C-alpha cells in the first residue's frame, strides 16, 4: 500500500502560524500585556524554525531576511476604501499622519515589550540562548509593522502594489530597504529580477542596522525598554515620512493659476 502523501511544503503551516502572530502584533490597539504575550509566542515560533544561524551575525541577518520574505506576503494591508472607512471624514494627508503616528506607537510598544522581557532576564541570569531569539522576534515584528505602513501609504495615495503575493512582498521589502515608494516600473518584473544581488545586499544592510539598533533592548533593567521604545518610534516615523513624501510628490496638487479677485 502506498504511503500517505506528504504536504508539498511542510514549512507552510508554521509560516502561517508565525504570520498570524505578526498580524496580531501589527495592531495598534493592543495593551502591553497582550503585546508581550504575542512577542513571547513569536519568539517561540522563531525558535521552532531552528536558531543555529542566529548565533552568527552575518548568517543571522540572512536568516532574518529569509523570514521576513516568508511572512511579508501574509502581512495584512488595508485597502484605500477600508482606510477611508476607518478614518471617516479625514483628508488623505491627515490619514497618512494617523497611519505614521500609529505605526510609530506600535513599534515603540514592541520595543518596550521586548525591553520588558529583557529586563526580567537582567534580574535573573541573561541566557545566551534567548537573547538572539528575542532580538530576532523584535526585529521581525518591527519590520512587519513598517512594511504594513508602506503598503497602506501606497493604497492611500492610490498606488496599490500589484502582482502576485511574492511580487508584492518583494516590492514592499525593497521599498522598506530603500526608504521610498515602490517603483511602478518594477512591479511587473519577476522576483529574481527585482531583488537582485545589489537589492539583497541593500536589504540585508538595512536589516543589520535595524538589528543593531534593537540591541539597546538589552540595556540594564528598564533602560533598555525606554531606549528601544524611543528609537523604534523615531525610526518608524522617519521611514513613514520619507515614503509619504515620495508618494505625495508623484501626485502634486494642482497649482493655482489665478488668484480670486478681491472685492472692491
Amino acid at each position: 500500500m502506498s504511503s500517505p502523501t506528504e504536504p508539498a511544503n511542510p514549512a507552510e503551516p508554521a509560516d502561517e502560524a508565525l504570520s498570524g502572530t505578526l498580524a496580531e502584533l501589527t495592531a495598534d490597539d493592543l495593551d502591553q500585556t497582550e503585546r508581550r504575550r504575542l512577542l513571547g509566542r513569536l519568539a517561540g515560533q522563531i525558535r521552532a524554525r531552528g536558531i543555529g544561524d542566529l548565533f552568527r551575525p552575518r548568517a543571522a541577518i540572512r536568516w532574518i531576511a529569509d523570514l521576513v520574505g516568508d511572512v511579508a506576503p501574509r502581512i495584512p494591508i488595508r485597502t484605500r476604501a477600508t482606510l477611508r472607512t476607518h478614518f471617516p471624514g479625514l483628508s488623505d494627508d491627515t490619514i497618512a499622519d494617523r497611519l505614521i503616528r500609529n505605526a510609530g506607537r506600535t513599534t515603540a510598544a514592541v520595543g518596550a515589550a521586548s525591553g520588558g522581557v529583557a529586563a526580567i532576564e537582567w534580574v535573573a541570569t541573561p541566557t545566551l540562548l534567548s537573547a538572539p531569539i528575542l532580538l530576532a522576534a523584535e526585529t521581525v515584528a518591527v519590520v512587519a509593522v513598517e512594511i504594513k505602513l508602506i503598503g497602506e501609504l501606497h493604497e492611500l495615495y492610490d498606488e496599490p502594489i500589484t502582482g502576485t503575493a511574492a511580487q508584492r512582498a518583494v516590492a514592499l521589502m525593497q521599498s522598506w530597504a530603500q526608504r521610498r515608494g515602490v517603483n511602478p516600473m518594477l512591479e511587473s518584473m519577476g522576483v529574481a529580477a527585482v531583488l537582485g544581488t545589489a537589492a539583497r545586499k541593500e536589504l540585508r544592510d538595512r536589516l543589520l542596522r535595524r538589528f543593531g539598533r534593537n540591541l539597546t533592548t538589552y540595556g540594564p533593567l528598564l533602560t533598555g525598554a525606554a531606549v528601544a521604545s524611543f528609537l523604534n518610534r523615531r525610526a518608524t516615523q522617519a521611514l513613514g515620512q520619507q515614503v509619504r513624501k515620495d508618494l505625495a510628490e508623484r501626485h502634486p496638487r494642482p497649482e493655482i493659476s489665478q488668484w480670486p479677485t478681491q472685492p472692491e
Side-chain angles (χ1 to χ4, degrees):
M1 185 173 65
S2 60
S3 59
T5 302
E6 294 186 359
N9 186 355
E12 284 189 1
D15 287 343
E16 290 287 353
L18 196 152
S19 299
T21 301
L22 279 173
E24 293 182 63
L25 269 169
T26 61
D28 53 24
D29 56 353
L30 293 177
D31 61 47
Q32 277 303 86
T33 300
E34 177 64 8
R35 200 177 302 277
R36 197 175 295 116
R37 185 188 70 81
L38 288 170
L39 195 64
R41 189 169 83 189
L42 178 64
Q45 291 166 335
I46 287 175
R47 183 197 300 267
R49 285 175 65 103
I51 59 171
D53 285 344
L54 288 177
F55 292 93
R56 295 178 295 152
R58 288 176 182 267
I61 297 306
R62 289 195 297 269
W63 192 95
I64 291 173
D66 289 342
L67 177 56
V68 171
D70 289 342
V71 302
R74 302 178 175 93
I75 294 173
I77 293 174
R78 291 171 290 185
T79 65
R80 174 179 170 83
T82 302
L83 288 170
R84 297 210 62 83
T85 300
H86 287 178
F87 300 98
L90 300 182
S91 68
D92 288 351
D93 286 341
T94 303
I95 295 175
D97 284 337
R98 297 286 181 88
L99 293 178
I100 294 169
R101 181 199 66 185
N102 291 348
R105 288 177 176 176
T106 301
T107 59
V110 169
S114 183
V117 174
I120 294 172
E121 293 194 350
W122 271 93
V123 173
T125 303
T127 65
L128 292 176
L129 182 63
S130 60
I133 298 172
L134 181 59
L135 288 172
E138 180 184 352
T139 300
V140 173
V142 167
V143 173
V145 173
E146 293 177 345
I147 284 177
K148 177 181 180 180
L149 170 62
I150 290 171
E152 292 184 346
L153 286 174
H154 279 79
E155 287 283 343
L156 182 64
Y157 284 96
D158 209 19
E159 287 200 17
I161 300 170
T162 59
T164 66
Q167 287 171 331
R168 292 195 302 272
V170 168
L172 285 166
M173 290 165 64
Q174 189 171 37
S175 175
W176 179 86
Q178 295 179 341
R179 272 23 191 185
R180 60 174 179 262
V182 171
N183 183 348
M185 298 294 291
L186 299 179
E187 288 188 51
S188 61
M189 298 174 65
V191 173
V194 175
L195 201 60
T197 302
R200 289 178 188 275
K201 183 179 184 302
E202 186 175 38
L203 174 64
R204 289 170 182 168
D205 287 348
R206 183 68 65 178
L207 280 169
L208 180 61
R209 287 194 286 273
R210 167 62 73 183
F211 190 76
R213 184 181 298 122
N214 289 347
L215 286 170
T216 57
T217 295
Y218 273 78
L221 300 178
L222 291 176
T223 60
V227 174
S229 175
F230 170 77
L231 291 179
N232 280 356
R233 183 198 302 264
R234 186 177 67 177
T236 299
Q237 290 180 337
L239 166 67
Q241 293 295 354
Q242 287 174 298
V243 173
R244 172 193 182 182
K245 179 182 177 183
D246 189 33
L247 292 171
E249 287 175 349
R250 301 179 189 179
H251 301 277
R253 292 180 175 84
E255 295 182 1
I256 299 176
S257 58
Q258 181 177 356
W259 290 98
T261 56
Q262 296 292 329
E264 296 182 359

